[in-house]
Amino acid sequence: MIKIGEVLVSDDVVEKEFVCNLDKCKGACCVEGDFGAPLDADELPILEEIYPVVKPYLTKDAIRVIEKLGTHTTDDDGDLCTPVIDGRECVYAIYDKQGILKCGIEQAYLDGKISWKKPISCHLYPIRITAKKNFEALNYHKWHICSPACALGKELQVPVYKFLKAPLIRKYGEQWYSELEQAVEERPKEEKKAKK
């Protein structure tokens, strides 16, 4: 475990290898699971504000669900999340011409229509954040649907924290990420060997 400021980073985030392989998984993380993507409270007004701009990117079913439930909802534990369509894909998920699920919010961002990329939990996946009273914990979420990403990460030798450099900087800042890189480099060589 590495502590950077008030953030605990699990060993798996540093040691596991991961690179999304959308050609293989087809964006399964946008459709699998019991609920939508976790949301932070400060993301709710953003979703409300951008919805009219993102709406043309979404499917008719997604629009129907959003008009009924709103741009966000809660899961069985009362945690904030994106709504889903018939217990399946996130309302913001869209299919591209190759049948790969992608994010409608992100597509609007890439098209220059909005300045917010997507919920941070989506941008950071497969890292999941657990917020505690005085700190946050970053853990690697292992999921069978991401096996192709694990294989590609291993082939390319890219650890999770390096694959997710941009979203980690988005969440915690450049200075925090630099401190993480330095802490990883300074780990004892014996510890690195023992983990392999």
Side-chain angles (χ1 to χ4, degrees):
M1 184 87 52
I2 296 174
K3 186 173 192 273
I4 308 293
E6 300 306 313
V7 181
L8 296 177
V9 181
S10 76
D11 291 337
D12 282 350
V13 169
V14 173
E15 296 160 4
K16 299 291 184 186
E17 295 165 321
F18 190 100
V19 173
C20 280
N21 191 344
L22 291 173
D23 289 334
K24 300 277 187 194
C25 75
K26 306 294 185 200
C29 61
C30 295
V31 70
E32 297 294 332
D34 298 326
F35 299 99
L39 294 170
D40 292 336
D42 62 352
E43 293 178 313
L44 305 186
I46 297 169
L47 286 171
E48 292 284 341
E49 180 185 334
I50 65 171
Y51 175 62
V53 180
V54 173
K55 184 177 176 179
Y57 291 88
L58 306 179
T59 66
K60 289 178 184 170
D61 286 339
I63 293 166
R64 175 184 49 80
V65 171
I66 292 170
E67 308 266 324
K68 181 179 177 187
L69 299 178
T71 56
H72 68 279
T73 189
T74 54
D75 63 20
D76 287 348
D77 294 327
D79 295 323
L80 298 167
C81 62
T82 60
V84 294
I85 302 167
D86 298 325
R88 295 288 296 158
E89 72 261 20
C90 171
V91 292
Y92 300 107
I94 57 173
Y95 287 92
D96 71 9
K97 291 176 181 166
Q98 290 76 39
I100 297 172
L101 272 170
K102 296 195 174 167
C103 180
I105 296 170
E106 186 172 16
Q107 191 58 57
Y109 169 84
L110 294 172
D111 289 347
K113 307 273 182 167
I114 57 175
S115 60
W116 191 65
K117 189 165 186 162
K118 58 181 161 183
I120 194 66
S121 70
C122 301
H123 203 185
L124 278 171
Y125 198 77
I127 290 177
R128 283 291 184 229
I129 300 173
T130 303
K132 299 293 183 185
K133 187 175 181 181
N134 297 319
F135 68 93
E136 290 184 334
L138 303 187
N139 293 295
Y140 167 71
H141 181 243
K142 186 172 181 175
W143 200 3
H144 68 88
I145 63 172
C146 292
S147 294
C150 296
L152 184 58
K154 191 172 191 86
E155 178 185 327
L156 300 174
Q157 298 182 329
V158 178
V160 173
Y161 81 97
K162 286 188 178 180
F163 173 67
L164 295 174
K165 179 179 180 176
L168 284 168
I169 289 171
R170 173 185 165 197
K171 176 73 174 169
Y172 298 109
E174 293 266 2
Q175 177 66 33
W176 183 92
Y177 189 82
S178 293
E179 289 176 29
L180 174 62
E181 285 183 311
Q182 185 176 348
V184 171
E185 287 304 312
E186 291 174 354
R187 293 174 92 188
K189 287 184 172 57
E190 297 78 29
E191 185 181 334
K192 290 178 190 174
K193 286 179 186 173
K195 300 286 183 183
K196 287 192 176 190

